[in-house]
Amino acid sequence: EVQLVQSGAEVKKPGESLKISCKGSGYSFTSYWIGWVRQMPGKGLEWMGIIYPGDSDTRYSPSFQGQVTISADKSISTAYLQWSSLKASDTAMYYCARPRSLGTGTSPFDPWGQGTLVTVSS
Amino acid sequence: DIQMTQSPSTLSASVGDRVTITCRASQSISRWLAWYQQKPGKAPKLLIYKASSLESGVPSRFSGSGSGTEFTLTISSLQPDDFANYHCQQYNSYPVTFGQGTKVEIK
């Protein structure tokens, strides 16, 4: 079974750093891109960016470029989303998701991780 | 970026109703459009890809149509399990973008 399992909920203060994870299993991790999607409370889905673990090729939405860092460690089949200095406005649910098609980042997402809730509050 | 505009934002309907949600792209995306269903506290679930292809396991009451800039998701006979949020997504080019979502609620 193809599965993405994300790390647990986080509560942080503004200015702190954070790295959340997404572990893939049941498929060839280096053959599929993995993307990240933000959902702020009560709002829609926002595509943040995507990485190809095979060669670490990464694409960002202009809205998130410079605000977050996407990385992957293919040795442990895990992708990461990282902030160096969190803001209250980063409070959201973050999903990782894998495109349904091999080798392309422009493909619908299926499956999705269960989500990681990040709360940033002083 | 390609902007995706969904309408309506909220739709009130009854069990058995035929429901249609529209998604418009700011430029042509051919048929590179997907629809997702999302229930509260859950990750989105892929329903339709390439504008009209039904994902495996999705009930046949769901259908999609359109090409270019205008697309629709239709639920032929709304069931209790269908009350949820629906999102369209273009994957024609980077950055991939979503519509703002449509909430289908009980009338």
Side-chain angles (χ1 to χ4, degrees):
Chain A
E1 180 196 4
V2 176
Q3 213 172 0
L4 298 174
V5 177
Q6 298 185 228
S7 49
E10 302 273 2
V11 179
K12 292 288 191 179
K13 290 181 168 37
E16 292 186 331
S17 63
L18 177 64
K19 194 173 190 178
I20 62 175
S21 66
C22 169
K23 183 172 176 61
S25 62
Y27 71 98
S28 173
F29 185 75
T30 54
S31 298
Y32 287 83
W33 293 71
I34 288 190
W36 289 94
V37 176
R38 182 175 80 174
Q39 188 167 39
M40 298 177 78
K43 301 298 185 184
L45 305 172
E46 299 173 272
W47 188 92
M48 302 176 71
I50 199 163
I51 188 166
Y52 188 68
D55 62 6
S56 295
D57 187 9
T58 309
R59 312 293 172 90
Y60 291 93
S61 165
S63 300
F64 293 94
Q65 179 87 48
Q67 307 304 308
V68 297
T69 301
I70 294 171
S71 61
D73 184 340
K74 58 188 179 184
S75 70
I76 55 171
S77 300
T78 300
Y80 301 97
L81 179 65
Q82 183 175 1
W83 295 259
S84 58
S85 180
L86 286 159
K87 311 179 196 60
S89 57
D90 293 318
T91 294
M93 181 71 82
Y94 293 88
Y95 293 101
C96 65
R98 195 205 75 175
R100 69 189 300 278
S101 298
L102 186 73
T104 174
T106 51
S107 171
F109 284 140
D110 182 48
W112 294 62
Q114 83 277 19
T116 296
L117 181 63
V118 174
T119 303
V120 184
S121 174
S122 54
Chain B
D1 300 7
I2 298 174
Q3 309 303 318
M4 304 301 293
T5 304
Q6 269 182 253
S7 59
S9 297
T10 305
L11 188 160
S12 298
S14 302
V15 173
D17 284 353
R18 181 181 180 89
V19 162
T20 299
I21 300 168
T22 297
C23 187
R24 289 187 174 87
S26 60
Q27 64 189 73
S28 177
I29 57 170
S30 185
R31 293 176 58 82
W32 304 117
L33 185 102
W35 291 97
Y36 298 86
Q37 178 192 66
Q38 187 181 26
K39 295 185 178 178
K42 299 292 187 184
K45 172 189 171 185
L46 178 64
L47 298 176
I48 286 170
Y49 61 95
K50 210 171 179 183
S52 62
S53 296
L54 202 65
E55 180 72 340
S56 175
V58 174
S60 59
R61 63 181 180 271
F62 291 93
S63 64
S65 64
S67 66
T69 62
E70 188 148 339
F71 302 86
T72 58
L73 172 70
T74 299
I75 309 172
S76 60
S77 178
L78 199 64
Q79 298 303 300
D81 191 49
D82 301 338
F83 291 98
N85 290 293
Y86 293 85
H87 308 271
C88 65
Q89 177 204 36
Q90 71 79 18
Y91 53 98
N92 178 76
S93 60
Y94 290 124
V96 169
T97 46
F98 290 92
Q100 78 277 20
T102 295
K103 181 179 181 179
V104 176
E105 61 179 23
I106 301 172
K107 191 172 185 179

